Amino acid sequence: MDDTDPEQLVRLVAAAAAGDQKAWRDIVERCTPRVHAVVRAQCRDDDLAEEIVQSAFCTVVQKLSEYQEGGRFEAWLLRIAMNRLRDEMRRRGRHAVSTDTSTMVEIAGVPERASSAGDLPGGRLAEALGRLSEADREIIHLRHVGGLSFKEISAALDAPIGTLLARHHRALKKMKDLLDQTPMEDRE
């Protein structure tokens, strides 16, 4: 199966909605890794991420017959998962935490030599991510951890692409500013 063929996903969704169990299994196999990676990046808890992804798929299977395919299935699934995560974090009275550098490198599949360039003293990247607002972390995670296009992020968050481009740009600028605020001992 070609995981990058959007038309194939459309066919799988239609078949699964008609009751094809193999199509449903193929959808789960195809979509789970990316959804899990994005949820895991937000909560940094494998068990919770797995629980959220399972819950999201349970919702999808219940509503699949009502779903109107428009090439936005993954965005719909991701929006359900992110809403579940927000609800759970609210219920637990805590916020999602930022992703550390090693997790981002692992999810992105960056070669070992490339990851060393991102290793910053004292986990500064993780610290900078942690200092961003939840909305800023979310857009960075969706784009850079989840690998979603701005069109997919727009569908997942139900927000205009222009707004998301601006948010992404501001979030990256904030990250740069935070990283440029290097303590004196790190400069030596």
Side-chain angles (χ1 to χ4, degrees):
M1 177 172 78
D2 179 7
D3 287 351
T4 60
D5 181 6
E7 290 302 314
Q8 184 177 26
L9 183 58
V10 170
R11 290 189 296 274
L12 286 172
V13 169
D20 184 336
Q21 294 298 311
K22 181 177 179 346
W24 176 249
R25 281 190 301 276
D26 288 346
I27 289 169
V28 172
E29 281 180 27
R30 175 184 176 148
C31 297
T32 296
R34 187 147 101 171
V35 175
H36 185 272
V38 171
V39 172
R40 167 69 172 78
Q42 286 287 309
C43 69
R44 294 185 65 193
D45 180 333
D46 283 326
D47 293 335
L48 177 59
E50 188 174 321
E51 182 181 319
I52 296 295
V53 172
Q54 287 175 0
S55 175
F57 275 110
C58 286
T59 298
V60 167
V61 79
Q62 291 171 352
K63 298 182 182 238
L64 195 57
S65 62
E66 304 166 19
Y67 175 70
Q68 298 294 314
E69 178 58 57
R72 300 169 58 152
F73 177 79
E74 286 181 295
W76 180 55
L77 172 60
L78 192 58
R79 182 174 0 170
I80 291 169
M82 295 305 289
N83 286 340
R84 290 285 163 95
L85 178 61
R86 277 189 210 100
D87 291 346
E88 181 61 21
M89 292 300 185
R90 231 177 280 131
R91 187 185 74 71
R92 292 181 179 199
R94 64 178 192 172
H95 297 288
V97 293
S98 63
T99 306
D100 62 4
T101 305
S102 62
T103 303
M104 289 183 78
V105 167
E106 178 184 320
I107 291 170
V110 176
E112 209 45 54
R113 60 180 163 65
S115 69
S116 64
D119 292 340
L120 299 169
R124 287 184 27 239
L125 181 58
E127 181 184 328
L129 276 168
R131 291 176 59 191
L132 293 177
S133 70
E134 183 177 342
D136 287 344
R137 280 193 311 271
E138 180 177 55
I139 190 107
I140 288 175
H141 284 140
L142 291 173
R143 180 73 177 128
H144 300 285
V145 177
L148 273 65
S149 69
F150 283 102
K151 184 177 179 182
E152 292 169 319
I153 296 170
S154 173
L157 299 179
D158 197 25
I161 290 176
T163 301
L164 295 172
L165 286 167
R167 276 180 47 199
H168 180 257
H169 177 76
R170 282 192 303 270
L172 289 178
K173 173 138 179 29
K174 288 176 189 174
M175 284 284 298
K176 182 186 178 313
D177 291 346
L178 289 167
L179 291 170
D180 285 346
Q181 297 173 1
T182 307
M184 288 306 291
E185 59 272 9
D186 287 346
R187 291 184 194 175
E188 297 171 0

